[in-house]
Amino acid sequence: MTVPSRRVPVLLPYPFPGPFDYRVPPNLHPEPGDVVQVPLNRREEIGVVWDHGADDSVPDRKLKPVAGIVDTPPMLPALRQFVDWVASYTLSPPGEVMAMALRIITRTTAAPPTGWRRVFPAPDARITAARQKVLDALAAHEPRAAKDLAHAAGVGVSVIRGMADAGLVELAILPTIAPFTIPNPDHPGTILAPDQEAAAAVLRAAAAAREFSVTLLDGVTGSGKTETYLEAVAETLRQGRQALVLLPEIALSSQWLERFERRFGVAPAVWHSDLTSRTRRTTWRAVAEGAAPVVVGARSALFLPFPDLGLIVIDEEHETAFKQEEGVVYHARDMAVVRARFCAAPAVLVSATPSLETLYNVEAGRYRRITLPTRHGGAILPAVAAIDMRATPPERGQFLAPPLIAAVRDTMARGEQAMLFLNRRGYAPLTLCRHCGHRMQCPNCTAWLVEHRARRSLQCHHCGHAIPILEECPACSARDTLTPVGPGVERITEEAAKLFPDARRLVMASDTMTGPHAAAAAAHAIEARTVDLIIGTQIVAKGWHFPHLTLVGVVDADLGLAGGDLRAAERTVQLLHQVGGRAGRAEAPGRVLLQTFSPEHPVMQALVDGDLAAFMAREAAQRRPGHWPPYGRLAALIVSADSAGEADGLARDLGRTAPYGNGVEVLGPAPAPLSILRGRHRRRLLLKTRRDVAVQPILREWLAKVAVARSARVEVDVDPVSFL
Ligand code: ADP
Ligand code: ZN
């Protein structure tokens, strides 16, 4: 009698439609979640035993066998469910989503680090005093790296080498558990003010309940939101569960990390894309084994293998940086809420300027809301005023208007710090020939080349294409006629150097200040008052506390309003309010000046009046009737192809087969604003539905009707944030 061989579905980290079946050899007993090695196209690959999706059509005898089970923590049910959910919601192949959770193991093929340990029983060898020190340092039986061991024993590395030759010590693989110390929830920390304490009590109760909930922690800039939600982290630790805090820009979170350390006595584990592979692997394992109780990270941290995740905090929940636009297109804020649900954990969304989506969920009763209405320690919010650029224009060829220049001078004369904010990197966004009108354009994209004067190059901010700054016009060959048009932060810095020659200036932009160390150094310089004037792009807007900064000048408050983006006004209000929030603390009240050509615009009015609630109510009233988000749903299809003709053809096919009727509408096809990107021609279609309609089944049915050639692509973007 032949026993039918057992088969298991294995999900591989590739964009296949689902798992593949493999045969289980009698000596192996793989369970769902186990990481296994399997053959694929004559190679060995790593995959995860999945719960479902076995393809029964392949007969047993044709199945390849599972080669082995990898000695690593299995992927737990809550993470597997999350992977399936994200794949289904975003219409991504499940293997591609799973790859984000597994990548860490598969990518680290480098030899594991090794160290020395004692050999038992000890061979008969001479034990000198130096050797005894080494043996003492190894008493813990844990292997230690040579350098580290020599240092601990106070001997030279040659002593260890001699001991290895004598057989007293041997090489072993170093343990992968990171030295994460458990944060102490009862470390003496900040004493909360009464309103902070009331909010913290709500969050503590949510963490102690050990069940899914969503809370919006909404409070003005400087109200102590961070101090407050750290209490939820503390309660999660007391519960013996793990906590995840998502920040929109983790590489720049130096001040946040310092505050965490002050509260808990130790640093948390950090997760972002700049980690070395060694740190990634160590952190991943420590998370999987529960040895890293708190992780602060970028959106990819959502896919870490927490065995018992008990809290997710999403700080600056309104930030568009939480949307991943490449590969699996997902919104980390929304997916964090889903992850929390699968883990029976509370999610806490934090912002001084909550998104309309989140406010809608509060209104609908799905999210709880707690508010911190005032700044901590009696500080008042900065006074905001508009500078009408038509009434008081800057000098010709300059960008700072006289009232702003005067305010910067006054501020510095008082010994306080000022900041000039312009959300644009480089020197000038456009270079134009004064003789023939030629504009320097990217050869691969529908975009101007941005001058970066310090680096002496013109760059495309979309594809990275760069050329040296030219002396003659490539179109008409005239010399010295190429002229920069408009400002970037470099140009503002140049203008400021002329206007305020004695000011000590610091430029903060993502291309000049890279990584946490540079950010920490900048923050310390500002805190130590070795800087008078900060000139920055949007990275200055987030989360910083500069107690001596009392003036923020917004160089171009109208910048974000151009273009027909659904959320342009909302985003501008959020960004400018956040930047303005850097000004003024308890020590000295702050001021914000907005340079604008339309001070009467509702965005400027909302900022000047400080009435964000009224502004959001107005936004809501505009979006509701047309079923725009959050009162309806959107999904974008982005068609791309090597030729315009092919892109048009495919876009037309999609247009022809578009769904319609009962709460469903398709806009387009139309050329994308970035109609050529990296040499690919792009077209867009936008599916808009009522909120009670699920877009995924409609999209699946629609996409199944259209044949896509190998050279073309259709990307799906559910809940689009960018419309480029
Ligand atoms: P938000 O996140 O709302 O902008 P933070 O939590 O960052 O506010 O707090 C703003 C500043 O006030 C920080 O420098 C913080 O250390 C300080 N702060 C807030 N609450 C307290 C408190 N209860 N005691 C002492 N300092 C506090
Ligand atoms: Zn380009």
Side-chain angles (χ1 to χ4, degrees):
M1 189 178 82
T2 55
V3 182
S5 63
R6 227 187 111 207
R7 48 201 293 163
V8 282
V10 175
L11 188 60
L12 292 159
Y14 296 104
F16 301 128
F20 293 143
D21 264 7
Y22 284 88
R23 181 162 51 78
V24 180
N27 60 323
L28 292 180
H29 304 282
E31 299 289 332
D34 279 348
V35 180
V36 289
Q37 247 167 321
V38 292
L40 179 77
N41 299 334
R42 271 169 280 155
R43 277 185 315 179
E44 291 255 298
E45 291 286 351
I46 283 177
V48 176
V49 178
W50 219 242
D51 310 71
H52 59 81
D55 177 6
D56 299 329
S57 65
V58 182
D60 281 1
R61 65 191 157 73
K62 285 209 164 167
L63 291 181
K64 300 245 173 65
V66 174
I69 300 177
V70 180
D71 178 22
T72 193
M75 192 176 285
L76 296 175
L79 185 51
R80 301 202 302 272
Q81 285 170 336
F82 181 59
V83 165
D84 275 335
W85 202 95
V86 173
S88 160
Y89 189 83
T90 62
L91 269 76
S92 306
E96 218 177 332
V97 180
M98 192 275 285
M100 295 195 281
L102 196 65
R103 183 173 294 153
I104 304 94
I105 315 175
T106 51
R107 283 262 180 93
T108 47
T109 47
T114 52
W116 297 99
R117 77 171 164 218
R118 292 176 80 150
V119 174
F120 288 100
D124 196 15
R126 200 163 57 88
I127 308 289
T128 60
R131 286 182 172 186
Q132 188 57 51
K133 284 189 202 157
V134 173
L135 292 178
D136 290 346
L138 281 177
H141 308 292
E142 288 272 334
R144 298 181 77 161
K147 253 209 199 127
D148 169 36
L149 177 58
H151 181 80
V155 302
V157 177
S158 61
V159 176
I160 300 170
R161 238 176 279 132
M163 291 174 75
D165 291 343
L168 285 165
V169 293
E170 65 186 0
L171 265 187
I173 293 173
L174 284 179
T176 50
I177 297 300
F180 293 112
T181 319
I182 309 292
N184 175 7
D186 304 311
H187 184 83
T190 322
I191 296 163
L192 297 184
D195 58 342
Q196 294 174 337
E197 180 48 44
V202 175
L203 296 181
R204 267 188 227 114
R210 305 177 74 99
E211 61 184 26
F212 172 65
S213 64
V214 187
T215 307
L216 166 64
L217 173 59
D218 161 16
V220 298
T221 53
S223 57
K225 296 186 292 297
T226 314
E227 305 292 340
T228 303
Y229 74 64
L230 287 180
E231 293 313 305
V233 173
E235 181 57 35
T236 307
L237 292 169
R238 284 186 205 106
Q239 294 287 328
R241 304 183 87 190
Q242 288 167 294
L244 168 63
V245 179
L246 294 182
L247 299 181
E249 192 115 31
I250 183 70
L252 298 173
S253 56
S254 58
Q255 280 191 332
W256 192 96
L257 292 171
E258 285 167 17
R259 284 173 67 184
F260 185 92
E261 244 185 284
R262 238 175 294 146
R263 173 61 185 84
F264 292 106
V266 298
V270 176
W271 186 260
H272 55 79
S273 55
D274 292 340
L275 297 178
T276 63
S277 66
R278 168 106 205 263
T279 311
R280 280 176 93 74
R281 182 175 39 200
T282 322
T283 307
W284 189 89
R285 246 208 128 102
V287 171
E289 291 169 359
V294 183
V295 178
V296 56
R299 55 196 178 212
S300 59
L302 275 180
F303 293 90
L304 283 170
F306 298 95
D308 190 12
L309 187 56
L311 172 73
I312 307 181
V313 176
I314 303 98
D315 202 349
E316 313 283 12
E317 68 85 28
H318 63 278
E319 269 290 337
T320 52
F322 282 125
K323 182 73 189 279
Q324 168 150 313
E325 302 281 4
E326 315 245 289
V328 177
V329 178
Y330 69 96
H331 201 305
R333 175 201 53 215
D334 300 344
M335 295 308 117
V337 170
V338 175
R339 180 91 159 101
R341 181 152 52 81
F342 285 127
C343 295
V348 180
L349 310 183
V350 183
S351 178
T353 53
S355 62
L356 198 53
E357 275 71 12
T358 296
L359 291 174
Y360 171 82
N361 280 318
V362 168
E363 199 183 305
R366 277 189 287 271
Y367 295 179
R368 180 193 302 128
R369 177 186 200 163
I370 45 183
T371 307
L372 296 174
T374 55
R375 277 192 160 180
H376 174 70
I380 51 168
L381 283 169
V384 183
I387 294 176
D388 187 340
M389 296 293 271
R390 296 162 306 191
T392 55
E395 276 185 41
R396 233 183 107 73
Q398 306 292 296
F399 302 95
L400 303 178
L404 180 55
I405 296 171
V408 172
R409 288 216 171 96
D410 286 352
T411 304
M412 292 193 306
R414 280 197 303 273
E416 295 164 3
Q417 293 167 325
M419 176 188 278
L420 296 174
F421 170 75
L422 176 62
N423 198 10
R424 202 189 260 145
R425 291 183 288 129
Y427 187 84
L430 169 64
T431 301
L432 178 98
C433 173
R434 264 183 285 121
H435 188 245
C436 74
H438 177 76
R439 293 163 175 225
M440 297 297 294
Q441 203 185 345
C442 176
N444 314 317
C445 306
T446 319
W448 309 128
L449 292 177
V450 178
E451 178 177 348
H452 285 255
R453 192 162 282 191
R455 277 190 246 139
R456 306 210 39 76
S457 71
L458 298 177
Q459 295 178 9
C460 172
H461 282 183
H462 297 285
C463 73
H465 176 81
I467 57 168
I469 292 178
L470 305 177
E471 286 177 0
E472 90 182 21
C473 172
C476 73
S477 301
R479 287 190 70 84
D480 298 326
T481 56
L482 291 171
T483 313
V485 179
V489 274
E490 278 187 28
R491 198 169 192 179
I492 297 303
T493 306
E494 183 184 271
E495 189 173 330
K498 289 200 193 106
L499 289 167
F500 323 110
D502 300 329
R504 293 164 299 174
R505 294 173 299 274
L506 173 72
V507 181
M508 294 173 81
S510 59
D511 54 340
T512 57
M513 201 178 72
T514 47
H517 296 299
H524 290 145
I526 298 167
E527 282 163 12
R529 305 175 89 160
T530 58
V531 169
D532 305 306
L533 181 62
I534 303 148
I535 300 147
T537 62
Q538 47 98 20
I539 59 170
V540 300
K542 289 167 199 160
W544 306 94
H545 293 285
F546 300 136
H548 312 289
L549 177 74
T550 57
L551 174 70
V552 170
V554 176
V555 175
D556 184 354
D558 308 328
L559 186 61
L561 295 173
D565 191 321
L566 167 72
R567 298 186 185 86
E570 179 190 349
R571 266 209 300 261
T572 303
V573 165
Q574 285 162 340
L575 178 63
L576 298 185
H577 184 79
Q578 292 279 346
V579 186
R582 302 311 115 211
R585 295 286 142 175
E587 298 79 2
R591 261 176 104 183
V592 179
L593 293 173
L594 309 169
Q595 295 199 140
T596 172
F597 285 92
S598 46
E600 66 290 343
H601 193 288
V603 163
M604 305 308 147
Q605 292 297 322
L607 290 164
V608 169
D609 298 342
D611 195 349
L612 301 195
F615 174 81
M616 291 308 260
R618 190 177 149 276
E619 274 289 302
Q622 285 185 352
R623 292 195 209 167
R624 201 188 306 257
H627 299 287
W628 291 98
Y631 304 99
R633 296 181 189 278
L634 290 181
L637 295 186
I638 302 122
V639 172
S640 61
D642 288 333
S643 75
E646 198 182 352
D648 281 329
L650 179 51
R652 236 179 290 120
D653 287 349
L654 284 165
R656 226 186 341 253
T657 51
Y660 63 92
N662 210 6
V664 178
E665 181 184 359
V666 170
L667 311 173
L674 261 172
S675 63
I676 307 175
L677 176 63
R678 295 186 193 96
R680 306 265 296 167
H681 294 257
R682 302 166 77 243
R683 306 289 180 264
R684 295 185 69 104
L685 296 101
L686 191 62
L687 171 69
K688 180 151 88 72
T689 73
R690 273 195 332 244
R691 195 171 161 109
D692 58 345
V693 177
V695 297
Q696 287 80 6
I698 299 175
L699 287 169
R700 279 194 197 99
E701 205 179 306
W702 184 12
L703 291 168
K705 287 183 192 156
V706 173
V708 181
R710 284 186 77 95
S711 52
R713 269 198 77 182
V714 182
E715 279 165 81
V716 181
D717 182 356
V718 177
D719 306 329
V721 165
S722 163
F723 296 87
L724 288 180

